[in-house]
Amino acid sequence: MDGLASPTPQSPGKKRMDGKGEELSAAYEAIRIGDYLYVRYSAGGRELYDLVVDPHELSSRHNDPRYKKLRTFLDQRLDKLQGCVGQECREEIPQPPEPE
């Protein structure tokens, strides 16, 4: 794990820094929409779970070509959430595409 990403209760709105003045970030970021969970790891790995088919998250569908449109959709939604503030973070998310 790279470190903690969220601000401390004592300093809301400020990013956590290590002892060398560098910003700490999380080891992964994820989004769950409906029956799908998409995870991006800072080291480059990706996981996609269809929670209806695999509720225990045992078999990632990330490399399954049938999930390509869904994977792209979730990746773009996660990008859009990066750096959002206030009301823009509460934007209604459209229905994700179904696997083919």
Side-chain angles (χ1 to χ4, degrees), residues 42-53:
S42 61
R46 305 282 189 266
E47 295 179 1
L48 172 61
Y49 296 101
D50 183 334
L51 300 173
V52 170
V53 176

Side-chain angles (χ1 to χ4, degrees), residues 32-44:
R32 179 175 176 183
I33 298 176
D35 297 324
Y36 304 104
L37 172 64
Y38 179 69
V39 184
R40 289 193 306 210
Y41 293 93
S42 61

